[in-house]
């Protein structure tokens, strides 16, 4: 997936290779925070049984944030983007590309990215959404990297933003305890050094049915089932395979080995998936960022949320190497090795 970097001014001596580097990050979580017990009490009122003990043991999740009616993927995405711009010391007017990864857009169209662009008060640059479910942020990052390397963009906001609470069936305990809402953003800028060292993207539509929200809008109505449905164990198995393959591929492309990676930043779906992936790599959990306990699974927002929180806590620091990996509905998966 990673293209050869563009050589500005030809291939001769003095020419400059273009790369994309992270200039700043930001995030946004809705103020409403529910513990497992809060959710269990809410479900009990409808006769649905679950418990803090089951959720913690099977997933590692303890809290999730749910958006109130006035919030949306675009409003949270815009807040995360503003934080990323501030962290980078960059004016919104300098941004020439916005890619928003979301499976819960504000509307069928225009794209959430265009709505974010409007909220940032900027005009004219490219803006579009990417729909790759929980791998969406990695897809968006990789596309932006390619555009920056080829000179098509110089400053790109890459945003993952989701309101999964709006597609959850709160009568289905196998899914409604797993997900949360939020947004994360990264400002990428053109640089003469990486940055994003390597990335890969994959999909296998044969697994489309194991994780889906199959409903659609037609003739003024929602047709079909508008809720998220998941075959949990099938997704779990697929996730483990996808993460293993991604690690190997990205490290090979980057010419690195796992000992040169400071932080493994996985899509935050289930602590057991992360523990299995780390064990297979011989990586101690101290080098794996974990936010699933605090945020639940926020789909495309989970990786940039985890990254931004770790940067703001001083865990991830400049000069470190980060291995980002996502997997989810589609089935989709991918990863990126980043020198931060
Ligand atoms: O974001 C995209 C990627 N998503 C993922 O990676 C998710 C992957 N899958 C998973 O994380 C796990 O499969 C789940 C967390 C979804 C489920 O964990 P599991 O260990 O695979 O549980 P299970 O589906 O085998 O269910 C075990 C039992 C069942 O009861 P029986 O049949 O053994 O009596 C379920 O009915 O747990 C029951 N159960 C629950 N009990 C209390 C399922 N959900 C709940 C619940 N509370 N919320």
């Amino acid at each position: 997936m990673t293209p050869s970097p563009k050589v500005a001014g030809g291939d001769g001596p003095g020419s400059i290779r273009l790369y994309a580097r992270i200039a700043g990050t930001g995030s946004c979580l809705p103020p409403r925070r529910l513990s497992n017990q809060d959710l269990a009490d809410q479900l009990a009122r409808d006769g649905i049984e679950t418990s803090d003990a089951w959720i913690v043991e099977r997933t590692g999740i303890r809290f999730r944030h749910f958006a109130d009616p006035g919030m949306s993927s675009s409003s949270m995405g815009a807040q995360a983007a503003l934080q990323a711009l501030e962290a980078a010391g960059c004016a919104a007017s300098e941004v020439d590309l916005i890619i928003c990864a979301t499976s819960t857009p504000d509307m069928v169209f225009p794209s959430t990215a265009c709505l974010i662009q409007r909220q940032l008060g900027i005009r004219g640059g490219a803006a579009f959404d990417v729909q790759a479910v929980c791998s969406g942020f990695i897809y968006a990052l990789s596309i932006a990297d390619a555009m920056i390397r080829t000179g098509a963009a110089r400053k790109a906001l890459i945003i993952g933003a989701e309101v999964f609470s709006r597609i959850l069936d709160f009568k289905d305990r196998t899914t409604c305890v797993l997900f949360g809402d939020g947004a994360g953003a990264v400002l990428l800028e053109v640089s003469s050094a990486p940055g994003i060292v390597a990335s890969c993207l994959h999909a296998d539509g044969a697994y489309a049915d194991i994780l889906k929200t199959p409903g659609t809008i037609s003739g003024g109505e929602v047709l079909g089932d508008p809720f998220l449905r998941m075959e949990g164990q099938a997704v779990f198995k697929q996730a483990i395979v996808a993460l293993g393959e991604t690690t190997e591929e990205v490290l090979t492309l980057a010419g690195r080995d796992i000992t040169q990676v400071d932080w493994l930043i996985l899509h935050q779906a289930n602590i057991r998936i992360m523990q299995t992936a780390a064990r297979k790599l011989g990586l101690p959990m101290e080098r794996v960022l974990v936010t699933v306990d605090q945020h639940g699974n926020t789909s495309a927002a989970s990786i940039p949320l985890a990254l931004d929180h770790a940067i703001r806590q001083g865990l991830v620091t400049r000069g470190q190497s980060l291995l980002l990996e996502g997997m989810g509905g589609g089935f989709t998966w991918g990863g990126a090795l980043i020198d931060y």
Side-chain angles (χ1 to χ4, degrees), residues 50 54 58-59 134 173 232-233 235 267 269-270 272-273 297:
T50 189
W54 189 94
R58 301 293 178 124
T59 71
C134 303
R173 68 177 184 173
Q233 289 189 3
V235 173
H267 167 49
N270 187 323
R272 291 188 294 136
I273 294 176
N297 180 345

Side-chain angles (χ1 to χ4, degrees), residues 120-158:
L120 295 179
I122 55 178
R123 305 170 86 167
F128 60 93
D129 287 0
V130 162
Q131 217 285 37
V133 203
C134 303
S135 312
F137 181 77
I138 300 292
Y139 267 66
L141 189 81
S142 189
I143 294 165
D145 177 44
M147 289 179 71
I148 288 174
R149 282 171 182 253
T150 55
R154 297 185 62 80
K155 297 214 176 181
L157 274 168
I158 314 307

Side-chain angles (χ1 to χ4, degrees), residues 174-175 209-212 229-237:
T174 68
T175 53
D209 287 334
I210 64 174
L211 178 49
K212 61 182 176 182
R229 303 296 175 200
M230 178 166 71
E231 293 173 29
Q233 289 189 3
V235 173
F236 194 104
K237 280 184 203 139

Side-chain angles (χ1 to χ4, degrees), residues 3-27:
S4 306
K6 176 168 178 160
V7 181
D11 282 322
S15 58
I16 306 160
R17 287 189 184 280
L18 304 180
Y19 298 93
R21 69 176 281 274
I22 294 179
T25 64
S27 61

Side-chain angles (χ1 to χ4, degrees), residues 52-292:
D52 174 57
W54 189 94
I55 302 170
V56 171
E57 187 198 320
R58 301 293 178 124
T59 71
I61 296 167
R62 292 177 186 275
F63 297 93
R64 78 283 294 137
H65 293 249
F66 283 163
D68 285 323
M71 298 185 87
S72 66
S73 289
S74 79
S75 68
M76 291 190 294
Q79 282 189 43
L82 282 170
Q83 268 195 8
L85 289 167
E86 194 185 346
C90 174
S93 56
E94 293 175 49
V95 171
D96 54 8
L97 170 65
I98 300 175
I99 309 180
C100 182
T102 185
S103 299
T104 46
D106 291 23
M107 47 182 91
V108 173
F109 65 81
S111 69
T112 306
C114 284
L115 301 177
I116 291 171
Q117 190 201 47
R118 179 169 67 183
Q119 288 168 60
L120 295 179
I122 55 178
R123 305 170 86 167
F128 60 93
D129 287 0
V130 162
Q131 217 285 37
V133 203
C134 303
S135 312
F137 181 77
I138 300 292
Y139 267 66
L141 189 81
S142 189
I143 294 165
D145 177 44
M147 289 179 71
I148 288 174
R149 282 171 182 253
T150 55
R154 297 185 62 80
K155 297 214 176 181
L157 274 168
I158 314 307
I159 301 158
E162 303 281 16
V163 279
F164 261 50
S165 61
R166 296 189 185 148
I167 54 167
L168 295 177
D169 177 359
F170 286 95
K171 293 193 166 37
D172 174 8
R173 68 177 184 173
T174 68
T175 53
C176 73
V177 302
L178 306 175
F179 295 89
D181 302 336
V186 161
L187 181 76
L188 288 182
E189 68 180 10
V190 70
S191 162
S192 56
I196 299 176
V197 180
S199 67
C200 71
L201 299 177
H202 295 283
D204 186 348
Y207 293 99
D209 287 334
I210 64 174
L211 178 49
K212 61 182 176 182
T213 300
T216 187
I217 296 177
S218 178
E221 300 173 32
V222 175
L223 293 189
D225 184 352
F227 292 121
L228 180 152
R229 303 296 175 200
M230 178 166 71
E231 293 173 29
Q233 289 189 3
V235 173
F236 194 104
K237 280 184 203 139
Q238 210 51 40
I240 299 289
V241 173
L243 292 177
E245 287 178 8
T246 302
T247 305
E248 204 179 314
E249 184 175 353
V250 175
L251 288 176
T252 303
L253 284 169
R256 306 267 177 98
D257 64 62
I258 194 68
T259 63
Q260 295 168 291
V261 171
D262 294 294
W263 289 103
L264 183 60
I265 309 178
L266 301 176
H267 167 49
Q268 306 285 311
N270 187 323
I271 190 72
R272 291 188 294 136
I273 294 176
M274 292 187 257
Q275 287 165 339
T276 306
R279 192 168 57 244
K280 286 187 165 188
L281 288 169
L283 204 64
M285 279 305 283
E286 290 70 40
R287 280 168 55 203
V288 182
L289 283 186
V290 176
T291 51
V292 70

